[in-house]
Amino acid sequence: MAAGLPMAASADTLRDALAQTYVSNPTLTGARAGLRATDEDVAIARAQGLPDVSAAASYNRFVKRSANSFTSPEKSIGGSVDATVPLYEGGFVRNSIRAAKARVEQGRASLQATEGNVFTNAVAAYMDVIRDSAIV
């Protein structure tokens, strides 16, 4: 029965408490995941300046042919390949990359602020437990 109950977080030292907080705090986990998602915007912005290749293929089989059509085929196969290379974007790609990098830097600063707030709360909670233990 005890195995089904959640374990209480225990830390012998402040270092252990901060390590557990860093690993298991959902606010920090969410902030780190948000930064990873923001970091992907740089690659997406960079991709707008790369060549684009697309291909298409088709296969048609004519089940019923017209009685007076002697030259129409029973089946046809077709395909196409398109390549697009951006020649001039007017600085759009370069500025998009710069903006994406600026958003990543802002995300890193936001993550650091979130870490600071969470660690401040963890230290306060740890010190409250020590104080309350001393009072008891």
Side-chain angles (χ1 to χ4, degrees):
M1 183 172 164
L5 298 174
M7 278 185 56
S10 64
D12 293 332
T13 65
L14 181 59
R15 180 178 294 233
D16 293 340
L18 292 177
Q20 286 178 357
T21 300
Y22 185 79
V23 171
S24 63
N25 189 286
T27 303
L28 290 179
T29 304
R32 286 191 295 264
L35 181 59
R36 282 192 302 273
T38 303
D39 195 33
E40 293 297 321
D41 290 341
V42 175
I44 292 169
R46 191 170 281 136
Q48 293 174 348
L50 298 176
D52 183 32
V53 177
S54 63
S58 65
Y59 174 78
N60 295 321
R61 184 175 178 106
F62 302 105
V63 179
K64 185 172 182 177
R65 294 189 333 186
S66 173
N68 60 357
S69 175
F70 299 108
T71 60
S72 65
E74 289 184 18
K75 55 186 164 185
S76 70
I77 300 173
S80 66
V81 176
D82 296 325
T84 306
V85 178
L87 296 176
Y88 179 70
E89 294 287 337
F92 174 74
V93 175
R94 182 180 65 240
N95 291 330
S96 294
I97 293 170
R98 284 182 186 166
K101 286 181 180 180
R103 284 190 294 274
V104 168
E105 290 301 319
Q106 183 273 332
R108 287 183 183 148
S110 177
L111 176 62
Q112 287 177 348
T114 301
E115 286 174 346
N117 290 336
V118 169
F119 288 148
T120 300
N121 292 337
V123 169
Y126 183 81
M127 297 309 286
D128 288 346
V129 168
I130 289 176
R131 182 199 62 210
D132 293 346
S133 297
I135 290 172
V136 169

